Amino acid sequence: MRSYKEIRGILQERITSQQWQPGDLLPSEQALSEEFGCTRSTVNRAMRELADAGLVERRRKAGTRVVQPKSHPATISIPVIRQEIENKDQSYKYLLLERLEALPPEDVRTQLGLEQNEKALFLKSLHYGDGIPQQLDVRWINISALPEASQESFADIGPNEWLLQRVPHPNIEHVFRADKATAEEQRLLQLQECEPVFTIERRTWISGQGITYVRLVHPGSRYRMATRSSAIPTFN
Amino acid sequence: MRSYKEIRGILQERITSQQWQPGDLLPSEQALSEEFGCTRSTVNRAMRELADAGLVERRRKAGTRVVQPKSHPATISIPVIRQEIENKDQSYKYLLLERLEALPPEDVRTQLGLEQNEKALFLKSLHYGDGIPQQLDVRWINISALPEASQESFADIGPNEWLLQRVPHPNIEHVFRADKATAEEQRLLQLQECEPVFTIERRTWISGQGITYVRLVHPGSRYRMATRSSAIPTFN
DNA sequence: ACATTTTTTATGTATAGACATTAAGTGATT
DNA sequence: AATCACTTAATGTCTATACATAAAAAATGT
């Protein structure tokens, strides 16, 4: 008797080995359940997970087809910078550079969904690994959504970490860029002439309400973002 | 009667609203099935999908707990550059700069898993949008794994696109970086002084056998990588 | 007090069966 | 040939039930 995992593995193998090619129709759940000697439910779960993984597409009545991918998937996990530094066995240091409540610029205001004259919390902080600057965090926080932020000094904990604890499961949008460093960035991050920065721009919100808008700026020579391993699963 | 999607939505709401906080134990499937008036299977599916999404962690006997996230997830889809250009309604042009079979450098050799004196196919190509260079593709292909590549001129189709069709579902590993441009990159991509490049490094393989190793080099000022929308689902 | 065994319990998986939903295919009608 | 309604086939979901498995908790023995 075959488990859904075994079946999923067999089907995946037939697809990646191109025994079944993009566009090809897979046998119906009915047919496969007979082939594998199990119920349709079991096959259903196997095929559903392959669909979740993007290997096949399923449509009622039309059946299940192997997908012709049009792009390469990549899933990234962006840890809090302290984690990243400590994982490299470096000493972590955090420095708050600026903290004030002010009217954000227009673009940030709309990103956070604030009123015309609503103030937000502005934070600028720097994170070191072994005494070398690794990340500049320039951030606006919506204090209407998070009044506790006004009470927090951020002297001892980075805003990223603080927010991750306080608002654990927001919606997120990221933009990644390679930028020329501004003069300030060059000074703060101790960059060499012409050294670029790797920028992560992040916007988070919960049910339509903006939480934070941040630019995480990294020295190009000291930062890389990598996908854990393979994109195609590798399930469990 | 509630569907697993409704239940999943209700549980998700209770988590994101922090009615259930990180570390909290959720009610058992049994208890929830009574609350929602359905069978345990239905609750199981709802909770399982929340676990897949990373919102909760489940362990036999111990139950289901809300996760305290330690990082921000981001899933990216990297389309073939032609798609990306045409989606912006720009005219696409492709130019093959170099094509030769040669011994790859040591690091590439190990990445592809080649023998000491095994040759590989080297390709260098440039992709334009509206006449402006957008991507430089510098690539090695394992011709032992893909003998057809030797027969392909790559005069009319980019290697990325060709490979996506030929090897649709490989394993993938990505590294993203902000780099200083080399002199050659500066010339080919028509970069300004000090303009950085956004580099995507990709390694693909199937069942241990290396397929390709590539550096996709983009002008920093003309490239951004973005996550589609939210990281936390947004399911179906 | 500590280690070992047993019990218990929540999740994990499978089954057999039912009905729902979607959309492809078919055939009749215009 | 185009449009309509009807049939049908494949996936989608749910139920009720059973047994498996992992690990926490309790009971037992030393």
Side-chain angles (χ1 to χ4, degrees):
Chain A
M1 193 208 51
R2 306 206 108 116
S3 71
Y4 84 93
K5 282 185 184 178
E6 289 176 295
I7 294 172
R8 187 187 60 194
I10 294 167
L11 301 183
Q12 180 180 14
E13 167 60 21
R14 290 184 189 169
I15 291 168
T16 54
S17 73
Q18 301 193 51
Q19 179 181 338
W20 289 334
Q21 301 208 348
D24 285 0
L25 193 64
L26 269 64
S28 71
E29 296 184 346
Q30 178 63 43
L32 287 172
S33 72
E34 282 161 23
E35 172 180 351
F36 294 122
C38 61
T39 56
R40 189 168 76 83
S41 323
T42 304
V43 174
N44 178 276
R45 176 153 183 199
M47 291 179 99
R48 180 154 40 80
E49 294 201 353
L50 290 177
D52 291 345
L55 280 183
V56 299
E57 256 176 9
R58 321 195 70 201
R59 270 164 53 225
R60 282 170 160 143
K61 169 73 186 180
T64 303
R65 286 180 190 280
V66 178
V67 163
Q68 171 66 64
K70 291 196 170 25
S71 65
H72 294 275
T75 60
I76 300 160
S77 144
I78 307 167
V80 161
I81 188 72
R82 183 170 63 79
Q83 285 297 329
E84 208 153 359
I85 287 168
E86 289 177 350
N87 285 349
K88 286 189 284 187
D89 271 317
Q90 298 181 348
S91 69
Y92 173 69
K93 200 181 83 185
Y94 161 70
L95 197 58
L96 179 64
L97 302 178
E98 248 179 89
R99 183 194 189 288
L100 55 98
E101 296 188 12
L103 291 176
E106 183 59 21
D107 60 324
V108 174
R109 198 179 67 73
T110 52
Q111 295 265 0
L112 292 183
L114 298 180
E115 299 298 321
Q116 192 64 251
N117 285 311
E118 212 176 342
K119 287 190 175 182
L121 179 62
F122 177 78
L123 295 169
K124 193 184 284 179
S125 57
L126 203 43
H127 302 254
Y128 297 82
D130 278 352
I132 301 163
Q134 305 286 350
Q135 182 186 75
L136 172 65
D137 180 313
V138 183
R139 179 182 305 254
W140 291 89
I141 296 178
N142 182 351
I143 44 180
S144 310
L146 265 170
E148 318 106 278
S150 285
Q151 311 306 317
E152 172 64 47
S153 75
F154 293 103
D156 301 315
I157 183 173
N160 210 345
E161 237 176 309
W162 186 85
L163 272 172
L164 199 56
Q165 283 184 20
R166 205 57 61 113
V167 189
H169 299 290
N171 292 78
I172 310 176
E173 222 168 62
H174 281 115
V175 179
F176 309 106
R177 254 195 290 265
D179 283 333
K180 246 184 249 196
T182 65
E184 189 196 24
E185 287 162 0
Q186 192 173 348
R187 180 172 50 82
L188 291 174
L189 293 171
Q190 300 173 15
L191 302 177
Q192 297 174 338
E193 201 62 34
C194 264
E195 185 180 337
V197 290
F198 188 101
T199 298
I200 302 176
E201 222 175 274
R202 180 185 298 149
R203 191 166 72 87
T204 71
W205 71 97
I206 282 189
S207 55
Q209 190 176 42
I211 302 292
T212 196
Y213 173 78
V214 57
R215 260 171 58 95
L216 302 172
V217 187
H218 310 82
S221 60
R222 280 166 250 154
Y223 192 79
R224 39 178 272 156
M225 209 170 67
T227 55
R228 202 174 298 282
S229 63
S230 69
I232 289 297
T234 301
F235 294 95
N236 296 309
Chain B
M1 193 208 53
R2 306 205 106 115
S3 72
Y4 84 92
K5 281 186 184 177
E6 291 178 293
I7 294 172
R8 187 187 61 193
I10 293 168
L11 301 184
Q12 181 179 15
E13 167 60 20
R14 289 184 189 169
I15 291 167
T16 53
S17 73
Q18 301 192 53
Q19 179 181 335
W20 289 334
Q21 301 208 348
D24 285 359
L25 193 64
L26 269 64
S28 70
E29 296 184 346
Q30 179 63 42
L32 288 172
S33 73
E34 282 160 23
E35 171 180 351
F36 294 122
C38 61
T39 55
R40 190 167 76 83
S41 321
T42 303
V43 174
N44 178 275
R45 177 151 182 202
M47 291 180 98
R48 181 154 41 81
E49 294 200 355
L50 290 177
D52 291 344
L55 280 184
V56 300
E57 257 176 9
R58 321 193 72 202
R59 269 165 54 226
R60 281 171 160 142
K61 168 73 186 181
T64 303
R65 285 179 191 280
V66 178
V67 163
Q68 171 65 64
K70 293 198 168 22
S71 65
H72 294 274
T75 60
I76 300 159
S77 145
I78 306 167
V80 160
I81 188 71
R82 183 169 63 79
Q83 285 298 329
E84 207 153 2
I85 287 168
E86 289 176 348
N87 285 347
K88 285 189 287 187
D89 271 318
Q90 299 182 348
S91 71
Y92 173 70
K93 202 181 84 185
Y94 161 70
L95 197 59
L96 180 63
L97 302 177
E98 249 180 87
R99 183 196 190 286
L100 55 98
E101 296 188 12
L103 291 177
E106 183 61 21
D107 60 325
V108 174
R109 198 180 66 74
T110 52
Q111 295 266 0
L112 292 182
L114 298 178
E115 299 298 319
Q116 191 64 250
N117 286 311
E118 212 175 344
K119 286 191 176 183
L121 178 61
F122 177 79
L123 295 169
K124 193 184 286 181
S125 56
L126 203 43
H127 303 255
Y128 298 82
D130 278 353
I132 300 163
Q134 304 287 350
Q135 183 186 76
L136 172 66
D137 180 313
V138 183
R139 181 183 303 256
W140 290 91
I141 296 177
N142 182 351
I143 45 181
S144 309
L146 265 169
E148 317 107 278
S150 284
Q151 311 305 316
E152 173 63 48
S153 74
F154 294 103
D156 301 316
I157 183 173
N160 210 344
E161 238 177 307
W162 186 86
L163 272 172
L164 199 55
Q165 283 183 21
R166 206 56 62 112
V167 189
H169 299 288
N171 292 75
I172 310 177
E173 221 168 63
H174 280 115
V175 179
F176 309 105
R177 254 194 290 265
D179 282 333
K180 246 184 249 198
T182 67
E184 188 195 25
E185 287 162 0
Q186 191 174 351
R187 181 171 51 80
L188 290 174
L189 293 171
Q190 301 173 13
L191 301 178
Q192 297 174 339
E193 201 61 35
C194 262
E195 185 179 338
V197 289
F198 188 102
T199 299
I200 301 175
E201 221 174 275
R202 180 186 298 148
R203 192 167 71 88
T204 71
W205 71 98
I206 281 189
S207 54
Q209 190 177 41
I211 302 291
T212 195
Y213 173 79
V214 57
R215 259 172 59 95
L216 303 172
V217 186
H218 309 81
S221 61
R222 281 166 250 155
Y223 193 78
R224 38 178 272 155
M225 208 169 68
T227 54
R228 202 174 300 282
S229 63
S230 70
I232 290 297
T234 307
F235 294 95
N236 298 309

